[in-house]
Amino acid sequence: MSSIFGRNFKVSIFGESHGKAVGVVLDGLPSGIRLNMEFIEQEMARRRPGKSPLSTLRSESDSFEILSGYFNEATTGTPLCAVIFNSDCASDDYAPMKSLLRPGHVDYTGFVKYGGFNDYRGGGHFSGRLTAPLVFAGAVAKQALQMDNILVGSHVKSICHAEDESFDSANIDENTLKELRNLAIPVLNRDAGEKMAQCILDAKNDRDSVGGVIETAVLNLQPGLGSPFFDSMESCLAHILFSIPAVKGVEFGEGFNITKMRGSKANDAFIIDENKIKTATNYNGGILGGITNGMPVVFRVAIKPTPSIGIQQQTVDFLKNQEATISVKGRHDPCIVPRAVPVIEAAAAIVILDLILERYGEAWTNWKN
Amino acid sequence: MSSIFGRNFKVSIFGESHGKAVGVVLDGLPSGIRLNMEFIEQEMARRRPGKSPLSTLRSESDSFEILSGYFNEATTGTPLCAVIFNSDCASDDYAPMKSLLRPGHVDYTGFVKYGGFNDYRGGGHFSGRLTAPLVFAGAVAKQALQMDNILVGSHVKSICHAEDESFDSANIDENTLKELRNLAIPVLNRDAGEKMAQCILDAKNDRDSVGGVIETAVLNLQPGLGSPFFDSMESCLAHILFSIPAVKGVEFGEGFNITKMRGSKANDAFIIDENKIKTATNYNGGILGGITNGMPVVFRVAIKPTPSIGIQQQTVDFLKNQEATISVKGRHDPCIVPRAVPVIEAAAAIVILDLILERYGEAWTNWKN
Amino acid sequence: MSSIFGRNFKVSIFGESHGKAVGVVLDGLPSGIRLNMEFIEQEMARRRPGKSPLSTLRSESDSFEILSGYFNEATTGTPLCAVIFNSDCASDDYAPMKSLLRPGHVDYTGFVKYGGFNDYRGGGHFSGRLTAPLVFAGAVAKQALQMDNILVGSHVKSICHAEDESFDSANIDENTLKELRNLAIPVLNRDAGEKMAQCILDAKNDRDSVGGVIETAVLNLQPGLGSPFFDSMESCLAHILFSIPAVKGVEFGEGFNITKMRGSKANDAFIIDENKIKTATNYNGGILGGITNGMPVVFRVAIKPTPSIGIQQQTVDFLKNQEATISVKGRHDPCIVPRAVPVIEAAAAIVILDLILERYGEAWTNWKN
Amino acid sequence: MSSIFGRNFKVSIFGESHGKAVGVVLDGLPSGIRLNMEFIEQEMARRRPGKSPLSTLRSESDSFEILSGYFNEATTGTPLCAVIFNSDCASDDYAPMKSLLRPGHVDYTGFVKYGGFNDYRGGGHFSGRLTAPLVFAGAVAKQALQMDNILVGSHVKSICHAEDESFDSANIDENTLKELRNLAIPVLNRDAGEKMAQCILDAKNDRDSVGGVIETAVLNLQPGLGSPFFDSMESCLAHILFSIPAVKGVEFGEGFNITKMRGSKANDAFIIDENKIKTATNYNGGILGGITNGMPVVFRVAIKPTPSIGIQQQTVDFLKNQEATISVKGRHDPCIVPRAVPVIEAAAAIVILDLILERYGEAWTNWKN
């Protein structure tokens, strides 16, 4: 509780990694949005496993089926349900639950939370597989946002110690953002991308894993979205971002770094540019007092190293109630950061659509159509 | 929207900096909690302005009046409303709104959001003054949590470049946490505290400001609180934390730093200690899969430098639609980090009580009493 | 839980009958609404006790104080809190709780719900006194609705066996609706009003009480408000109406009577009138499929006789765990139906504003101003 | 908005009458509930069309498929999604929307609400077919409630002018309630059932339709469920009941009839029976101050005649903007009341499980298992 996110645009996800399906219900999605299915498939493909030596070998087509809410090639305004049926479930996953708790994993907390009844196979409902329906929801939200020319894009800021440049947060180019979509590891500096790939392969060779940081930008947002208490733009974004498995930090604008600046620098000076009020810098990440100011919303998300690793680790045998060691078998990503990029973007698109509907109401698309 | 936080324990705040009052309504607060008013006053005092040269000169007694929900020295279970009447409102604040937008402030976004009708005096509803009722709510929540021996405490991790040590997150001592409450700038290392004080005074002398980082710990939490999607413990905490004015980053456990570790280090090994399952380290901050694992919940919050500074800054004259300069007058904190400590703790206590009630229901206190 | 109603316009009430105050926080109230305080006072006066021999002798001025959310004679868009301080609390109410359960009252259920900690004096939080802040909220909502020319009005359909005519639901006149506001017992047929008054006085003489039915109409609603599942216009209205103390039934249009019609009669024929789509009759009460169709929304509410009566009744002595008799002392309304009229209207206005904001967003008033 | 009902146990429905499927997601369903699939199928069969000459000829197997949240023959505690694929969709429904508005139907309001994009085929998302997933949800909720021995049952109180007896609301027998499940038209008095059947067939012969009243009882509820404002037991029940298509009235206990009683009768006297506090009568329907008192919760629901009838009716041609006549073709129920019985019960079971979880928390089943 609660598997439902949002107030005006509600996203409800369900499913388990090795169950029949994962899926999503979109409630409050405005009517009259004509979906480009090819775009949704591209978004799904960006997250899909089994594409390269950098990710898990589990291969899922991730093809979705829309069960409701879409009629005559447009959204109806009533709940849209999409289901992604699971196909490649490794067979020995059906064995009884291992009594060895995997460090960094949900084996222990999931057991306590659900009294031992949760589906533990492949992480069950905690699995990163649940991000597939989230990406579907984000792909739909992105297309709704296009009606207002709003664009979401990202790059990998770092993988372990391999660092990319940062966005020039006051001057982010739409084309740059769009082109990042086509890279296996989306980076601003190609050399950084090669170092990241090497970093991931090194970890893989060591049967270990690495994490990283994703930097995301949202362009062309109108000022006025979000609220002071308690639904600031940062609050709403952080809420969904911290639900994505492995996320351990979120910062906006200069984030933790802004605490090293003095106010005279951290305050973004207001300027007039092409007759619009803007700021000269964007250290506050496009948000003041919880409300968008019209500059790009920029944030960074810290993603921990994948907990499933082949190296032997110390742990506890749950049933025997004694300490033990474990080497996690199976097909795992040595690094999920590249695959997490479309998930982070999806989360952002969902939040922004939610806040736009709060501001302009469910009849918003009626004016757009 | 929405000025209401929480699902089972709902905190609703209202008021403006220079209006008649600020206040809070607590809905879903269980019955039978006997409040120690002295403790609440101490919490309010920790946040109160006007205490030292390190903070603003605005002096507010911050004495609260409970209007409902408290009877025969215990909570009734029906909504508890507390009001803090404003007293020291500087008179010239009632002048017409300055047309000069203060950089880093809500002048622009507040105007757009509310179509020019918001109370701009002293930041209005966006003011840090709204954190006074939040601290009240937190002081009540902390006393409810004491029924389960749950303790919340914090230290200032850094002010600008002045750094304190970090918590030893797997071994945090209750007494240490309690003693931090008595320090003007709560730090683990007293030398760091002196450097921080100097850092603040330097900024003050320069009519500038500084920010910092607060590190908070919650001890004695039962495992099983929080959910995978979308109400992870991190999600719920980050939601309220990012509503607190000036917060620009939140991280759990090692946070952004965990992205530099490999999985073999980031995975906290499970051990058995005094017949309980624990972890040897606590890089994940007491949370796995969004759910508490029984270790201390540890997080850090980045607070930007106070935007109100006397130094001349570049800005825009809103009415004349032209660029201009501004020097912000008035009584401001050169650094709000020390005063923000009880606010951050209050936010944490509110979230944890909310999740406890989700898990154990409104009848929770019936079993405790 | 939960003392908060609404999704886009949230009304949160607090207080107890014999505590310091009752009050309300309005969250999501759009900015820029200029309140006519005299109108609010009139609405409060319609509900106020102590006006006539037909009601309780408790005399409350019910003067309200707005603590926040109102500035320069308009709503700010941030939470508006209004408080009504209690004045006339009979002193012996502070005696220990009577162990005799009053039949028809909340003594028993309130005790169980709150584990004995609730404020039992005068009904505490369950008291009809809590409808005072609801009427305040409704008076504000009504003024917002006036921006769209929406009007809410009511008459007393019956008191015990004394019956008024019904609204001609397809043809309700604005002026008739407005004039009803000025009557002590608002009725369409003055003779019916006299019979009702006699009915109330008879019950009073017998130290007994009577209930009745209120019929309410909302005019000039745009079509399209409400949803099929689960927030139909009927659902939202019934939710708040059934929270009002003593309400035991709610019906829309012909309500229970429609079950005696055949479909060929119950189906309101569509017609074109002044180039607008209307219906010839309005047996469905202006709502089809949970959504307004532009006809008047008409509903009736059943209000049970006041449970506080002087006649001796059979009951249980709670502490002695044995049967007993009771005669309820104190100042009670022999009939609360006339005083309930503005409460019912307030509830309707709150719901409709909530649904308008869902449809047109928080920026709705920006276009109106 | 919103297709999601509930706070602690959330039921989210999706689908359209002639789309691929209808379905439901159950969020907050506690873990460890072992479902009897045969019982669920029986519940579905009670609602299913095509069974008798009294209902529509559309034949749907209504077999459900559980996609998630169920593992090793128990609920997991994570979202349970069930889908019912549509099979018997008449082919000409894919024709362009008729421009003739069906009286009593959602053609007009659905068009306005969704800007013409809603799926109009067979009522789309407004269809009674959406009650199939609701019955599934109710069948699950009923099994959870069995853990506390809580039982929900109903009879048809009236069809048009054919009336059954009423429940003896203070003395409802469990076995009577269970046996009602086996009747095509569940009634207390068999003669009444025959009159009702004749009434339906008469209407069918006239190509017309009839409605009726359902009376439902919930037994063995603990006292203490529900709240004063705004989530009274009546509020929560009425909210979901008024979302069910065709419901136009809801009353509790004696409902509208209680307005004809004086307080001295309407007040149910407290008594002690088998050492428990009960009431001698149950005119208040088991609810005082919005909270259950331990007596049976009894309510009645008014269901209007099916709007789809073959008789010629006056209406408007939407596109030509002129008046016209219409005879609705297709397969329709002359009376949906008998099929609505399990839907009403499902709604009640959902609400009660929601309020039990509010009171006892998500860990409730942990203590039961």
Side-chain angles (χ1 to χ4, degrees):
Chain A
M1 262 295 259
S2 171
S3 69
I4 302 166
F5 179 85
R7 293 170 190 250
N8 302 280
F9 173 51
K10 295 186 184 175
V11 173
S12 165
I13 61 172
F14 60 84
E16 286 90 22
S17 180
H18 290 63
K20 283 190 188 170
V22 294
V24 66
V25 182
L26 307 182
D27 182 33
L29 182 66
S31 61
I33 302 171
R34 300 182 185 286
L35 297 178
N36 178 339
M37 296 299 165
E38 201 179 339
F39 175 79
I40 299 178
E41 280 162 14
Q42 285 165 8
E43 289 292 286
M44 301 298 281
R46 291 173 73 200
R47 194 212 69 93
R48 191 161 59 224
K51 292 175 301 186
S52 91
L54 299 180
S55 76
T56 171
L57 295 180
R58 177 172 174 174
S59 176
E60 288 283 357
S61 68
D62 277 6
S63 60
F64 55 89
E65 188 176 351
I66 295 178
L67 297 185
S68 68
Y70 201 69
F71 177 60
N72 282 343
E73 312 208 348
T75 57
T76 58
T78 54
L80 189 157
C81 176
V83 174
I84 301 157
F85 288 93
N86 291 328
S87 51
D88 181 19
C89 303
S91 56
D92 67 349
D93 288 317
Y94 290 85
M97 185 187 173
K98 310 295 187 296
S99 62
L100 293 176
L101 301 176
R102 290 171 300 165
H105 254 292
V106 297
D107 296 342
Y108 178 56
T109 55
F111 185 92
V112 172
K113 172 85 172 177
Y114 299 110
F117 289 100
N118 60 309
D119 182 351
Y120 50 79
R121 298 169 301 164
H125 185 66
F126 291 83
S127 167
R129 183 138 185 76
L130 270 288
T131 59
L134 211 56
V135 167
F136 175 89
V140 170
K142 280 181 175 180
Q143 296 189 58
L145 298 180
Q146 280 174 3
M147 289 178 153
D148 270 352
N149 201 29
I150 296 167
L151 188 68
V152 184
S154 310
H155 71 113
V156 176
K157 178 68 184 63
S158 64
I159 299 283
C160 204
H161 293 284
E163 292 265 350
D164 190 19
E165 299 162 18
S166 293
F167 280 132
D168 175 6
S169 61
N171 301 285
I172 301 176
D173 181 60
E174 282 195 29
N175 287 330
T176 305
L177 222 52
K178 286 178 183 166
E179 286 163 13
L180 285 167
R181 288 173 52 84
N182 304 319
L183 301 173
I185 301 181
V187 283
L188 300 172
N189 178 325
R190 301 295 169 99
D191 291 345
E194 287 174 24
K195 282 179 194 155
M196 290 174 184
Q198 191 57 50
C199 187
I200 295 171
L201 290 173
D202 288 351
K204 188 181 181 184
N205 286 338
D206 298 345
R207 293 181 303 149
D208 210 335
S209 66
V210 286
V213 174
I214 294 169
E215 188 175 53
T216 300
V218 188
L219 303 189
N220 304 328
L221 279 174
Q222 55 272 67
L225 300 179
S227 296
F229 295 93
F230 291 96
D231 288 340
S232 73
M233 177 58 83
E234 292 107 325
S235 289
C236 296
L237 281 167
H239 192 126
I240 192 169
L241 291 169
F242 273 119
S243 288
I244 298 170
V247 171
K248 298 303 276 189
V250 172
E251 59 181 7
F252 294 85
E254 286 296 306
F256 280 87
N257 190 41
I258 208 171
T259 69
K260 310 294 183 205
M261 298 177 179
R262 280 186 161 193
S264 51
K265 180 170 183 189
N267 287 349
D268 300 302
F270 284 107
I271 57 172
I272 296 180
D273 181 22
E274 293 178 357
N275 212 28
K276 289 174 67 177
I277 293 177
K278 295 190 177 176
T279 60
T281 51
N282 188 18
Y283 298 141
N284 285 278
I287 308 169
L288 289 172
I291 298 171
T292 54
N293 65 3
M295 295 296 291
V297 164
V298 179
F299 61 87
R300 273 178 300 285
V301 175
I303 294 177
K304 75 173 183 178
T306 325
S308 300
I309 54 174
I311 291 180
Q312 181 172 299
Q313 301 173 82
Q314 186 189 349
T315 189
V316 162
D317 186 312
F318 195 50
L319 298 178
K320 296 183 185 166
N321 197 29
Q322 64 185 33
E323 300 192 349
T325 58
I326 186 172
S327 300
V328 181
K329 302 273 184 300
R331 305 163 300 180
H332 311 114
D333 291 270
C335 181
I336 54 151
V337 177
R339 290 179 55 204
V341 169
V343 180
I344 300 296
E345 292 179 8
I350 289 165
V351 167
I352 287 161
L353 180 56
D354 191 27
L355 293 178
I356 282 179
L357 294 177
E358 171 173 292
R359 188 143 179 82
Y360 301 111
E362 67 176 22
W364 174 64
T365 49
N366 289 10
W367 314 324
K368 301 279 165 185
N369 277 299
Chain B
M1 261 291 258
S2 169
S3 70
I4 302 166
F5 179 84
R7 294 171 189 249
N8 303 280
F9 174 50
K10 295 187 184 174
V11 173
S12 164
I13 61 173
F14 60 84
E16 286 92 23
S17 179
H18 289 64
K20 283 190 187 171
V22 294
V24 64
V25 182
L26 307 182
D27 181 35
L29 183 66
S31 61
I33 302 172
R34 300 183 183 285
L35 297 178
N36 178 339
M37 295 299 166
E38 200 177 340
F39 175 79
I40 300 178
E41 280 162 15
Q42 285 164 6
E43 289 291 285
M44 300 298 282
R46 291 173 74 201
R47 193 212 69 92
R48 192 162 57 226
K51 293 173 302 186
S52 92
L54 299 180
S55 77
T56 171
L57 295 179
R58 176 171 175 175
S59 175
E60 288 283 356
S61 68
D62 277 4
S63 59
F64 55 89
E65 188 176 352
I66 295 178
L67 298 185
S68 68
Y70 201 69
F71 176 59
N72 280 344
E73 310 208 351
T75 57
T76 58
T78 54
L80 189 156
C81 177
V83 174
I84 302 156
F85 287 94
N86 292 328
S87 51
D88 181 20
C89 304
S91 57
D92 68 349
D93 289 316
Y94 291 85
M97 186 189 172
K98 311 293 187 294
S99 62
L100 292 176
L101 301 175
R102 289 171 300 164
H105 254 293
V106 298
D107 296 342
Y108 177 56
T109 56
F111 185 91
V112 172
K113 172 85 173 178
Y114 300 110
F117 288 100
N118 61 309
D119 181 350
Y120 51 79
R121 298 169 300 164
H125 184 66
F126 291 83
S127 167
R129 181 136 186 79
L130 269 288
T131 59
L134 211 56
V135 167
F136 174 90
V140 171
K142 279 181 175 179
Q143 296 189 58
L145 297 180
Q146 281 174 2
M147 289 178 154
D148 270 353
N149 200 29
I150 296 167
L151 188 68
V152 184
S154 309
H155 71 112
V156 176
K157 178 69 184 63
S158 64
I159 299 283
C160 204
H161 293 285
E163 293 263 350
D164 191 19
E165 300 162 18
S166 293
F167 280 132
D168 174 6
S169 61
N171 301 287
I172 301 176
D173 181 62
E174 283 194 28
N175 288 330
T176 304
L177 221 52
K178 287 178 184 166
E179 286 162 12
L180 284 167
R181 289 174 52 85
N182 303 320
L183 301 173
I185 301 182
V187 284
L188 300 173
N189 179 324
R190 299 295 169 99
D191 290 346
E194 287 175 24
K195 281 180 194 155
M196 290 175 184
Q198 191 57 50
C199 187
I200 295 171
L201 290 172
D202 288 351
K204 188 181 181 184
N205 287 337
D206 297 345
R207 292 182 300 149
D208 211 336
S209 64
V210 285
V213 174
I214 294 170
E215 187 176 53
T216 299
V218 188
L219 304 187
N220 304 329
L221 278 174
Q222 55 273 67
L225 300 178
S227 296
F229 295 93
F230 289 97
D231 288 340
S232 74
M233 176 58 85
E234 293 107 324
S235 289
C236 297
L237 281 167
H239 192 125
I240 192 168
L241 291 169
F242 273 119
S243 289
I244 298 170
V247 170
K248 299 302 275 189
V250 172
E251 59 180 7
F252 293 85
E254 286 296 306
F256 280 88
N257 190 41
I258 208 170
T259 70
K260 309 295 183 205
M261 297 177 179
R262 279 186 161 193
S264 51
K265 180 171 183 189
N267 287 348
D268 300 302
F270 284 107
I271 57 172
I272 295 181
D273 182 23
E274 295 177 356
N275 213 27
K276 289 173 66 177
I277 293 176
K278 294 190 177 175
T279 59
T281 52
N282 189 16
Y283 298 141
N284 285 278
I287 308 169
L288 289 173
I291 298 171
T292 54
N293 65 4
M295 295 296 291
V297 164
V298 179
F299 61 87
R300 274 177 300 283
V301 176
I303 295 175
K304 74 174 185 177
T306 326
S308 299
I309 53 175
I311 292 179
Q312 181 173 300
Q313 302 173 80
Q314 185 188 350
T315 190
V316 161
D317 187 312
F318 196 48
L319 298 177
K320 296 184 185 164
N321 197 29
Q322 64 185 33
E323 300 193 350
T325 58
I326 186 171
S327 299
V328 180
K329 301 275 185 299
R331 306 163 298 178
H332 311 114
D333 291 271
C335 180
I336 55 151
V337 176
R339 288 179 56 205
V341 169
V343 180
I344 300 295
E345 292 180 7
I350 289 164
V351 166
I352 287 161
L353 181 56
D354 191 27
L355 292 179
I356 283 179
L357 295 176
E358 171 173 292
R359 188 143 180 82
Y360 302 110
E362 68 176 20
W364 174 64
T365 49
N366 289 10
W367 314 324
K368 301 280 167 185
N369 277 300
Chain C
M1 265 287 269
S2 169
S3 70
I4 302 166
F5 180 85
R7 295 171 189 251
N8 302 280
F9 173 51
K10 295 187 183 175
V11 173
S12 164
I13 61 172
F14 59 85
E16 285 90 24
S17 179
H18 289 63
K20 284 190 186 170
V22 294
V24 65
V25 183
L26 308 181
D27 183 34
L29 183 66
S31 62
I33 303 171
R34 300 183 184 284
L35 296 178
N36 178 339
M37 296 298 165
E38 202 178 337
F39 176 80
I40 300 178
E41 280 162 15
Q42 287 165 6
E43 289 291 286
M44 300 297 283
R46 292 173 74 201
R47 192 211 71 91
R48 191 162 57 224
K51 292 173 301 186
S52 91
L54 299 179
S55 76
T56 171
L57 295 179
R58 176 172 175 173
S59 175
E60 288 283 356
S61 68
D62 277 4
S63 62
F64 55 89
E65 187 175 353
I66 294 178
L67 298 185
S68 68
Y70 200 68
F71 177 59
N72 281 342
E73 311 208 350
T75 58
T76 58
T78 53
L80 189 156
C81 177
V83 174
I84 301 157
F85 288 94
N86 292 326
S87 52
D88 181 20
C89 304
S91 56
D92 68 350
D93 289 315
Y94 291 85
M97 187 189 174
K98 311 294 187 296
S99 62
L100 293 176
L101 301 176
R102 291 170 298 165
H105 254 291
V106 297
D107 296 342
Y108 177 56
T109 56
F111 185 91
V112 172
K113 172 85 173 177
Y114 300 110
F117 289 99
N118 61 309
D119 182 351
Y120 51 78
R121 299 169 299 164
H125 184 67
F126 291 83
S127 167
R129 182 137 185 77
L130 270 288
T131 59
L134 211 56
V135 167
F136 175 90
V140 171
K142 279 180 175 180
Q143 296 190 57
L145 297 180
Q146 281 174 2
M147 289 179 154
D148 269 353
N149 199 30
I150 296 166
L151 188 67
V152 184
S154 310
H155 71 113
V156 176
K157 178 68 185 63
S158 64
I159 299 282
C160 205
H161 293 285
E163 293 263 351
D164 191 18
E165 300 163 17
S166 293
F167 280 132
D168 174 6
S169 61
N171 301 287
I172 302 176
D173 182 59
E174 283 195 29
N175 287 330
T176 306
L177 221 51
K178 286 178 183 166
E179 285 162 13
L180 285 166
R181 289 172 52 83
N182 303 319
L183 301 173
I185 301 182
V187 284
L188 300 173
N189 179 325
R190 299 295 169 100
D191 290 346
E194 287 174 25
K195 283 179 194 157
M196 290 175 185
Q198 191 57 49
C199 188
I200 296 170
L201 290 173
D202 288 350
K204 188 181 181 184
N205 286 337
D206 298 344
R207 291 182 302 150
D208 211 337
S209 64
V210 285
V213 174
I214 294 170
E215 187 175 54
T216 299
V218 188
L219 304 188
N220 304 328
L221 278 174
Q222 55 272 66
L225 299 179
S227 296
F229 296 93
F230 289 96
D231 288 340
S232 74
M233 177 59 86
E234 293 108 325
S235 288
C236 297
L237 281 167
H239 192 127
I240 192 168
L241 291 168
F242 273 119
S243 289
I244 298 170
V247 170
K248 299 303 275 189
V250 172
E251 59 180 8
F252 294 85
E254 286 296 307
F256 280 88
N257 190 40
I258 207 170
T259 70
K260 310 294 184 205
M261 297 176 178
R262 279 187 162 192
S264 51
K265 180 170 183 190
N267 287 348
D268 300 302
F270 284 107
I271 57 171
I272 294 180
D273 181 23
E274 294 178 358
N275 213 26
K276 289 173 68 177
I277 294 176
K278 295 190 177 175
T279 60
T281 52
N282 187 18
Y283 299 141
N284 285 278
I287 307 170
L288 289 172
I291 299 171
T292 54
N293 65 3
M295 294 298 289
V297 164
V298 179
F299 60 88
R300 273 177 301 283
V301 176
I303 294 176
K304 74 173 185 178
T306 325
S308 300
I309 54 175
I311 292 180
Q312 181 174 297
Q313 302 173 80
Q314 185 188 350
T315 189
V316 162
D317 187 311
F318 195 50
L319 298 177
K320 296 183 184 165
N321 197 29
Q322 65 185 33
E323 299 192 350
T325 59
I326 185 172
S327 300
V328 181
K329 301 273 185 298
R331 307 163 299 179
H332 311 115
D333 292 270
C335 181
I336 54 152
V337 176
R339 289 179 55 205
V341 169
V343 181
I344 300 295
E345 292 180 6
I350 288 165
V351 166
I352 286 160
L353 181 55
D354 192 26
L355 292 179
I356 283 180
L357 294 178
E358 171 173 292
R359 187 142 178 82
Y360 301 110
E362 67 175 21
W364 174 64
T365 49
N366 288 9
W367 314 323
K368 300 280 166 185
N369 277 301
Chain D
M1 265 294 264
S2 170
S3 69
I4 301 166
F5 179 85
R7 293 172 190 248
N8 303 279
F9 174 50
K10 295 186 183 174
V11 173
S12 166
I13 61 172
F14 58 85
E16 285 91 24
S17 180
H18 289 63
K20 283 191 188 169
V22 294
V24 66
V25 182
L26 308 181
D27 182 34
L29 182 66
S31 61
I33 303 171
R34 300 182 184 284
L35 297 178
N36 178 339
M37 295 300 165
E38 202 178 338
F39 176 80
I40 300 178
E41 279 161 15
Q42 286 164 7
E43 289 292 285
M44 300 298 282
R46 292 172 73 201
R47 193 212 71 93
R48 191 161 58 224
K51 292 173 301 187
S52 91
L54 299 179
S55 77
T56 170
L57 295 180
R58 175 171 175 176
S59 175
E60 287 283 357
S61 67
D62 277 4
S63 60
F64 55 89
E65 188 176 351
I66 295 179
L67 297 185
S68 67
Y70 200 68
F71 177 59
N72 281 343
E73 311 207 350
T75 57
T76 59
T78 53
L80 190 158
C81 177
V83 174
I84 301 157
F85 288 93
N86 292 327
S87 50
D88 182 19
C89 304
S91 56
D92 68 349
D93 287 317
Y94 292 85
M97 187 189 173
K98 312 291 188 296
S99 62
L100 292 176
L101 301 176
R102 290 171 300 165
H105 253 292
V106 296
D107 296 342
Y108 177 56
T109 56
F111 185 91
V112 172
K113 172 84 172 177
Y114 300 110
F117 288 100
N118 60 309
D119 182 351
Y120 50 79
R121 298 169 301 162
H125 185 66
F126 291 84
S127 167
R129 182 138 184 76
L130 270 288
T131 60
L134 211 57
V135 168
F136 174 89
V140 171
K142 280 180 174 180
Q143 296 190 58
L145 297 179
Q146 281 174 2
M147 288 177 154
D148 269 353
N149 201 30
I150 297 167
L151 188 68
V152 184
S154 310
H155 71 113
V156 176
K157 178 69 185 63
S158 63
I159 299 283
C160 204
H161 294 284
E163 292 263 351
D164 191 20
E165 302 162 15
S166 293
F167 280 132
D168 174 4
S169 62
N171 301 287
I172 301 176
D173 180 61
E174 282 195 29
N175 287 330
T176 306
L177 221 51
K178 286 178 184 166
E179 285 162 13
L180 285 166
R181 288 172 53 83
N182 303 318
L183 301 173
I185 301 182
V187 283
L188 300 173
N189 179 325
R190 299 296 169 99
D191 291 346
E194 287 175 24
K195 282 180 193 154
M196 290 175 185
Q198 191 57 50
C199 187
I200 295 171
L201 290 172
D202 288 352
K204 188 181 181 184
N205 286 337
D206 298 344
R207 292 183 302 151
D208 210 335
S209 64
V210 285
V213 174
I214 294 169
E215 187 175 53
T216 300
V218 187
L219 304 188
N220 305 328
L221 278 174
Q222 56 273 67
L225 300 178
S227 296
F229 295 93
F230 290 97
D231 288 340
S232 75
M233 178 57 86
E234 293 107 326
S235 289
C236 296
L237 281 167
H239 192 126
I240 192 169
L241 291 169
F242 274 119
S243 288
I244 298 169
V247 170
K248 298 304 275 189
V250 172
E251 59 181 8
F252 293 85
E254 287 296 306
F256 280 88
N257 190 41
I258 208 169
T259 69
K260 309 295 183 204
M261 297 177 178
R262 278 188 162 193
S264 51
K265 179 170 184 190
N267 287 348
D268 300 303
F270 283 107
I271 57 172
I272 295 181
D273 181 23
E274 295 179 354
N275 212 27
K276 288 173 67 177
I277 293 177
K278 295 191 177 175
T279 59
T281 51
N282 188 17
Y283 299 141
N284 284 277
I287 308 169
L288 288 172
I291 298 171
T292 54
N293 66 3
M295 295 297 290
V297 165
V298 179
F299 60 89
R300 274 178 301 283
V301 176
I303 295 178
K304 74 175 186 177
T306 325
S308 299
I309 53 175
I311 292 179
Q312 182 173 297
Q313 301 173 80
Q314 184 187 351
T315 189
V316 162
D317 186 312
F318 195 50
L319 297 178
K320 294 183 183 163
N321 197 28
Q322 64 185 33
E323 300 192 349
T325 59
I326 185 172
S327 301
V328 180
K329 301 274 186 300
R331 306 163 300 179
H332 311 114
D333 291 270
C335 180
I336 54 151
V337 177
R339 288 180 56 205
V341 170
V343 181
I344 299 296
E345 293 180 6
I350 289 165
V351 167
I352 286 162
L353 181 56
D354 192 26
L355 293 179
I356 282 180
L357 294 177
E358 172 173 291
R359 189 142 178 83
Y360 301 111
E362 67 175 22
W364 174 65
T365 49
N366 289 9
W367 315 323
K368 300 280 166 186
N369 277 301

